[in-house]
Amino acid sequence: MFINKLTVSFAALLFLATAAGLYVYRPVQEFSKDIDPQLEQVVAMLDGIKKTKNVDVIDLLDGKLKQQTEISPNERTVLEIMDQHNIKRVLYSDVVEPRAMFILSSFSLGAIWYYIYSPDGYTEEEQVSSIYETVKHTTNDVYHFCEKMNQNYWFLCTSRN
């Protein structure tokens, strides 16, 4: 009984130490303000997928998409681009803004990073001139920021709850 409690305690301690280490070790980094042209092409492909499947919302989760037995050529191309850019999930809708969100892979338990494509310039997050500088100087544990990319309609965003 003592060994079982010790094993459970050790496992819990190891989990907490690992989680704390991952949470603390996520440096805020500067990203390029240029969006890769392939990501711009993804939006056009999503428009095509939407028309073909006659749906209002597309939710492409990397692991889930890879498990499907039949995927269209456009979906396969989107999946390849997602892999190249460490994108874990793509959310798309032409009914509401923003039109597309590209969630980047992250090993962080803190902030998530994502790109938003929004033709009308709307984001729910606060728009700042530099996420890097803003996050560096914020004292809040919770934030939601976006900064404009060099290409029209594109934003780099981060959120931490």
Side-chain angles (χ1 to χ4, degrees):
M1 178 131 153
F2 175 73
I3 293 176
N4 285 343
K5 285 184 180 179
L6 184 62
T7 303
V8 169
S9 296
F10 179 76
L13 183 62
L14 181 62
F15 172 79
L16 290 174
T18 303
L22 287 172
Y23 183 73
V24 171
Y25 183 75
R26 175 62 173 162
V28 175
Q29 54 188 306
E30 289 190 83
F31 284 81
S32 169
K33 285 204 165 231
D34 290 314
I35 197 78
D36 189 297
Q38 285 185 317
L39 295 179
E40 293 184 286
Q41 293 171 358
V42 168
V43 174
M45 286 182 238
L46 293 169
D47 287 336
I49 293 169
K50 182 226 179 281
K51 288 176 186 169
T52 303
K53 292 191 171 190
N54 196 25
V55 294
D56 291 329
V57 176
I58 298 172
D59 182 358
L60 301 175
L61 187 60
D62 182 31
K64 187 176 175 185
L65 190 57
K66 286 179 181 176
Q67 292 173 357
Q68 291 181 9
T69 54
E70 293 183 30
I71 61 174
S72 71
N74 275 348
E75 287 172 318
R76 186 171 317 286
T77 302
V78 170
L79 181 61
E80 289 169 3
I81 293 170
M82 287 171 68
D83 282 344
Q84 290 171 11
H85 295 282
N86 294 320
I87 295 171
K88 199 67 176 158
R89 186 175 197 177
V90 175
L91 299 166
Y92 167 92
S93 172
D94 68 351
V95 178
V96 297
E97 292 297 333
R99 190 158 169 188
M101 180 183 291
F102 299 79
I103 301 170
L104 301 171
S105 295
S106 173
F107 296 104
S108 170
L109 296 178
I112 63 166
W113 292 84
Y114 48 100
Y115 294 110
I116 285 180
Y117 175 80
S118 179
D120 70 358
Y122 173 78
T123 64
E124 290 183 6
E125 300 79 2
E126 179 183 349
Q127 293 184 22
V128 297
S129 58
S130 169
I131 289 176
Y132 178 74
E133 289 300 320
T134 304
V135 171
K136 238 173 48 173
H137 296 99
T138 190
T139 57
N140 297 332
D141 290 336
V142 176
Y143 55 78
H144 309 281
F145 300 125
C146 285
E147 83 178 62
K148 285 186 175 192
M149 305 293 288
N150 288 335
Q151 289 77 5
N152 289 333
Y153 317 125
W154 285 92
F155 299 84
L156 172 67
C157 305
T158 186
S159 292
R160 181 173 171 179
N161 293 325

